[in-house]
Coordinates of all heavy atoms in Angstrom, one line a residue:
Chain A
I78 N -35.9 2.1 -58.0 CA -36.1 3.0 -56.9 C -37.6 3.3 -56.7 O -38.3 3.1 -57.7 CB -35.3 4.4 -57.1 CG1 -35.8 5.1 -58.3 CG2 -33.8 4.1 -57.3 CD1 -36.8 6.2 -58.0
C79 N -37.9 3.8 -55.6 CA -39.2 4.6 -55.4 C -39.2 5.3 -54.1 O -38.3 5.1 -53.3 CB -40.4 3.6 -55.5 SG -40.7 2.7 -54.1
V80 N -40.2 6.2 -54.0 CA -40.4 6.9 -52.7 C -41.7 6.3 -52.1 O -42.7 6.1 -52.9 CB -40.6 8.4 -52.9 CG1 -41.0 9.1 -51.7 CG2 -39.3 9.0 -53.4
V81 N -41.8 6.1 -50.9 CA -43.0 5.8 -50.3 C -43.4 6.9 -49.3 O -42.6 7.5 -48.6 CB -43.0 4.4 -49.5 CG1 -42.7 3.3 -50.4 CG2 -41.9 4.5 -48.4
N82 N -44.8 7.2 -49.3 CA -45.3 8.2 -48.5 C -46.5 7.8 -47.7 O -47.5 7.5 -48.3 CB -45.6 9.4 -49.3 CG -46.0 10.6 -48.5 OD1 -46.0 10.6 -47.3 ND2 -46.4 11.7 -49.2
A83 N -46.4 7.6 -46.4 CA -47.5 7.4 -45.5 C -47.2 8.3 -44.3 O -47.4 7.8 -43.2 CB -47.7 6.0 -45.2
G84 N -46.7 9.5 -44.5 CA -46.4 10.4 -43.4 C -45.4 9.8 -42.5 O -44.3 9.2 -43.0
G85 N -45.6 9.8 -41.2 CA -44.7 9.3 -40.2 C -44.5 7.8 -40.4 O -43.5 7.2 -39.8
A86 N -45.4 7.1 -41.0 CA -45.3 5.7 -41.2 C -44.6 5.3 -42.5 O -44.6 4.1 -42.9 CB -46.7 5.0 -41.2
S87 N -44.0 6.3 -43.1 CA -43.3 6.0 -44.4 C -42.2 5.0 -44.3 O -42.0 4.1 -45.1 CB -42.7 7.3 -45.0 OG -43.8 8.2 -45.3
T88 N -41.4 5.0 -43.2 CA -40.3 4.1 -43.1 C -40.8 2.7 -42.9 O -40.2 1.7 -43.5 CB -39.4 4.5 -41.8 OG1 -39.1 5.8 -41.9 CG2 -38.2 3.6 -41.8
T89 N -41.9 2.5 -42.2 CA -42.5 1.2 -42.1 C -42.9 0.6 -43.6 O -42.6 -0.5 -43.9 CB -43.8 1.2 -41.3 OG1 -43.5 1.8 -40.1 CG2 -44.3 -0.2 -41.0
N90 N -43.4 1.5 -44.4 CA -43.8 1.1 -45.7 C -42.6 0.9 -46.6 O -42.6 0.1 -47.5 CB -44.8 2.1 -46.3 CG -46.2 2.0 -45.7 OD1 -46.9 1.1 -46.0 ND2 -46.4 2.9 -44.7
A91 N -41.5 1.6 -46.3 CA -40.3 1.4 -47.1 C -39.8 0.0 -46.7 O -39.3 -0.8 -47.6 CB -39.3 2.4 -46.7
L92 N -39.9 -0.4 -45.5 CA -39.5 -1.8 -45.1 C -40.3 -2.9 -45.8 O -39.8 -3.9 -46.2 CB -39.5 -1.9 -43.6 CG -38.4 -1.3 -42.8 CD1 -38.8 -1.2 -41.3 CD2 -37.1 -2.1 -42.9
R93 N -41.6 -2.6 -45.8 CA -42.5 -3.5 -46.5 C -42.1 -3.6 -48.0 O -42.2 -4.7 -48.6 CB -44.0 -3.0 -46.4 CG -44.6 -3.1 -45.0 CD -45.9 -2.3 -45.0 NE -46.5 -2.3 -43.6 CZ -47.4 -1.4 -43.2 NH1 -47.8 -0.5 -44.1 NH2 -48.0 -1.6 -42.0
M94 N -41.9 -2.5 -48.6 CA -41.5 -2.5 -50.1 C -40.2 -3.2 -50.2 O -40.0 -3.9 -51.2 CB -41.4 -1.0 -50.6 CG -41.1 -0.9 -52.0 SD -42.3 -1.7 -53.1 CE -43.5 -0.4 -53.3
A95 N -39.2 -3.0 -49.3 CA -37.9 -3.7 -49.3 C -38.2 -5.2 -49.4 O -37.5 -5.9 -50.1 CB -37.1 -3.3 -48.2
K96 N -39.1 -5.6 -48.5 CA -39.4 -7.1 -48.5 C -39.9 -7.6 -49.8 O -39.6 -8.7 -50.2 CB -40.4 -7.3 -47.4 CG -40.5 -8.7 -46.9 CD -41.4 -8.7 -45.6 CE -41.6 -10.2 -45.1 NZ -42.3 -10.2 -43.9
Y97 N -40.7 -6.8 -50.5 CA -41.2 -7.1 -51.8 C -40.1 -7.3 -52.8 O -40.0 -8.3 -53.5 CB -42.2 -6.0 -52.3 CG -42.8 -6.4 -53.7 CD1 -43.9 -7.1 -53.7 CD2 -42.1 -5.9 -54.8 CE1 -44.5 -7.4 -55.0 CE2 -42.7 -6.2 -56.1 CZ -43.8 -6.9 -56.1 OH -44.4 -7.2 -57.4
F98 N -39.1 -6.4 -52.8 CA -38.0 -6.6 -53.7 C -37.1 -7.8 -53.4 O -36.7 -8.5 -54.3 CB -37.0 -5.3 -53.6 CG -37.4 -4.2 -54.5 CD1 -38.4 -3.3 -54.2 CD2 -36.8 -4.0 -55.7 CE1 -38.8 -2.3 -55.0 CE2 -37.2 -2.9 -56.6 CZ -38.2 -2.1 -56.2
I99 N -37.0 -8.0 -52.1 CA -36.2 -9.2 -51.6 C -37.0 -10.5 -51.9 O -36.4 -11.5 -52.5 CB -35.9 -9.0 -50.1 CG1 -34.8 -7.9 -50.0 CG2 -35.4 -10.3 -49.5 CD1 -34.6 -7.5 -48.5
D100 N -38.2 -10.5 -51.7 CA -39.0 -11.8 -51.9 C -39.1 -12.1 -53.4 O -39.2 -13.3 -53.7 CB -40.5 -11.5 -51.4 CG -40.6 -11.7 -49.9 OD1 -39.7 -12.2 -49.3 OD2 -41.7 -11.3 -49.4
N101 N -39.0 -11.1 -54.2 CA -39.0 -11.4 -55.7 C -37.6 -11.6 -56.3 O -37.5 -11.5 -57.5 CB -39.8 -10.3 -56.4 CG -41.3 -10.5 -56.0 OD1 -42.0 -11.3 -56.6 ND2 -41.8 -9.6 -55.1
N102 N -36.6 -11.7 -55.4 CA -35.3 -11.9 -55.9 C -34.8 -10.7 -56.8 O -34.0 -11.0 -57.7 CB -35.1 -13.2 -56.6 CG -35.4 -14.4 -55.7 OD1 -34.9 -14.4 -54.6 ND2 -36.2 -15.3 -56.1
Q103 N -35.3 -9.6 -56.6 CA -34.9 -8.4 -57.4 C -33.7 -7.7 -56.6 O -33.0 -6.9 -57.2 CB -36.0 -7.5 -57.6 CG -37.1 -8.0 -58.6 CD -36.5 -8.5 -59.9 OE1 -36.1 -7.7 -60.7 NE2 -36.5 -9.8 -60.1
A104 N -33.6 -8.0 -55.3 CA -32.6 -7.3 -54.6 C -32.2 -8.2 -53.4 O -33.1 -8.7 -52.7 CB -33.1 -5.9 -54.1
D105 N -30.9 -8.3 -53.1 CA -30.5 -8.9 -51.9 C -30.3 -7.9 -50.8 O -30.5 -8.1 -49.6 CB -29.1 -9.6 -52.1 CG -29.3 -10.9 -52.8 OD1 -30.4 -11.5 -52.8 OD2 -28.3 -11.4 -53.3
Y106 N -30.0 -6.7 -51.2 CA -29.8 -5.6 -50.3 C -30.5 -4.3 -50.7 O -30.5 -3.9 -51.9 CB -28.2 -5.2 -50.2 CG -27.4 -6.4 -49.8 CD1 -26.8 -7.1 -50.8 CD2 -27.2 -6.7 -48.5 CE1 -26.0 -8.2 -50.5 CE2 -26.4 -7.8 -48.1 CZ -25.8 -8.6 -49.1 OH -25.0 -9.6 -48.8
V107 N -31.3 -3.8 -49.8 CA -32.1 -2.6 -50.1 C -31.8 -1.4 -49.1 O -31.7 -1.7 -47.9 CB -33.6 -2.9 -49.9 CG1 -34.5 -1.6 -50.2 CG2 -34.1 -4.0 -50.9
L108 N -31.5 -0.3 -49.7 CA -31.2 0.9 -48.9 C -32.4 1.8 -48.7 O -33.2 2.0 -49.7 CB -30.1 1.7 -49.7 CG -29.7 3.1 -49.0 CD1 -29.0 2.8 -47.7 CD2 -28.8 3.8 -50.0
I109 N -32.7 2.1 -47.5 CA -33.8 3.0 -47.1 C -33.4 4.3 -46.5 O -33.0 4.3 -45.3 CB -34.8 2.2 -46.2 CG1 -35.3 0.9 -46.8 CG2 -36.0 3.1 -45.8 CD1 -36.1 0.1 -45.9
P110 N -33.3 5.4 -47.2 CA -32.8 6.6 -46.7 C -33.9 7.6 -46.4 O -35.0 7.6 -46.9 CB -31.9 7.2 -47.8 CG -32.5 6.7 -49.1 CD -33.3 5.5 -48.7
H111 N -33.6 8.5 -45.4 CA -34.5 9.6 -45.1 C -33.6 10.9 -44.8 O -32.6 10.8 -44.1 CB -35.4 9.3 -43.9 CG -36.0 10.6 -43.4 ND1 -35.5 11.3 -42.3 CD2 -37.1 11.3 -43.8 CE1 -36.2 12.4 -42.1 NE2 -37.2 12.4 -43.0
T112 N -34.1 12.0 -45.2 CA -33.5 13.3 -44.8 C -34.6 14.3 -44.7 O -35.5 14.4 -45.6 CB -32.5 13.7 -45.8 OG1 -31.3 12.8 -45.7 CG2 -31.9 15.1 -45.5
T113 N -34.6 15.2 -43.7 CA -35.5 16.3 -43.7 C -34.8 17.5 -43.0 O -34.1 17.3 -42.0 CB -36.8 16.0 -42.8 OG1 -37.6 15.1 -43.5 CG2 -37.5 17.2 -42.4
I114 N -35.0 18.7 -43.6 CA -34.5 19.9 -43.0 C -35.7 20.8 -42.9 O -36.3 21.2 -43.8 CB -33.3 20.6 -43.8 CG1 -32.1 19.7 -43.6 CG2 -33.1 22.0 -43.3 CD1 -30.8 20.4 -44.2
Q115 N -36.0 21.2 -41.6 CA -37.1 22.1 -41.4 C -36.7 23.5 -40.9 O -37.5 24.4 -40.9 CB -38.1 21.5 -40.3 CG -38.6 20.1 -40.8 CD -39.6 19.5 -39.8 OE1 -40.8 19.5 -40.1 NE2 -39.1 18.9 -38.8
S116 N -35.4 23.6 -40.5 CA -34.9 24.8 -39.9 C -34.8 26.0 -40.9 O -34.8 27.1 -40.5 CB -33.6 24.6 -39.1 OG -32.6 24.2 -40.0
D117 N -34.8 25.7 -42.2 CA -34.8 26.8 -43.2 C -36.1 27.1 -43.7 O -36.2 27.9 -44.6 CB -33.8 26.5 -44.3 CG -34.2 25.2 -45.1 OD1 -35.2 24.6 -44.8 OD2 -33.6 25.0 -46.2
I118 N -37.2 26.5 -43.1 CA -38.5 26.8 -43.5 C -39.1 27.8 -42.5 O -39.0 27.6 -41.3 CB -39.4 25.5 -43.6 CG1 -38.8 24.5 -44.6 CG2 -40.8 25.8 -44.0 CD1 -39.4 23.2 -44.5
P119 N -39.7 28.9 -43.0 CA -40.3 29.9 -42.0 C -41.3 29.2 -41.1 O -42.1 28.4 -41.5 CB -41.0 30.9 -42.9 CG -40.4 30.8 -44.3 CD -40.0 29.3 -44.4
N120 N -41.3 29.7 -39.8 CA -42.2 29.1 -38.8 C -43.6 29.1 -39.2 O -44.4 28.1 -39.0 CB -42.0 29.9 -37.5 CG -42.0 29.0 -36.3 OD1 -41.7 27.8 -36.4 ND2 -42.5 29.5 -35.2
E121 N -44.1 30.2 -39.8 CA -45.5 30.3 -40.2 C -45.9 29.2 -41.2 O -46.9 28.6 -41.2 CB -45.8 31.7 -40.7 CG -47.2 32.0 -41.0 CD -48.1 32.3 -39.8 OE1 -47.5 32.3 -38.7 OE2 -49.2 32.5 -40.0
T122 N -44.9 28.9 -42.1 CA -45.1 27.9 -43.1 C -45.2 26.5 -42.5 O -46.1 25.7 -42.8 CB -43.9 27.9 -44.1 OG1 -43.8 29.2 -44.6 CG2 -44.2 26.9 -45.3
L123 N -44.4 26.3 -41.4 CA -44.4 25.0 -40.7 C -45.7 24.8 -39.9 O -46.3 23.7 -39.9 CB -43.2 24.8 -39.9 CG -41.9 24.6 -40.5 CD1 -40.8 24.6 -39.5 CD2 -41.9 23.2 -41.3
I124 N -46.1 25.9 -39.3 CA -47.4 25.8 -38.6 C -48.5 25.5 -39.5 O -49.4 24.7 -39.3 CB -47.7 27.1 -37.8 CG1 -46.7 27.3 -36.6 CG2 -49.1 27.2 -37.3 CD1 -46.8 28.6 -35.9
N125 N -48.5 26.2 -40.7 CA -49.5 25.9 -41.7 C -49.5 24.5 -42.2 O -50.5 23.8 -42.3 CB -49.3 26.9 -42.9 CG -50.3 26.6 -44.0 OD1 -50.0 25.9 -44.9 ND2 -51.5 27.1 -43.9

Side-chain angles (χ1 to χ4, degrees):
Chain A
I78 62 98
C79 76
V80 171
V81 294
N82 187 2
S87 299
T88 308
T89 309
N90 287 282
L92 284 164
R93 294 167 177 162
M94 182 62 87
K96 198 168 175 175
Y97 180 88
F98 272 82
I99 288 167
D100 281 349
N101 289 285
N102 297 314
Q103 293 304 293
D105 285 340
Y106 302 97
V107 177
L108 177 65
I109 301 176
H111 165 266
T112 293
T113 285
I114 286 188
Q115 301 183 104
S116 60
D117 65 353
I118 302 172
N120 216 29
E121 187 77 1
T122 307
L123 286 173
I124 291 175
N125 175 266

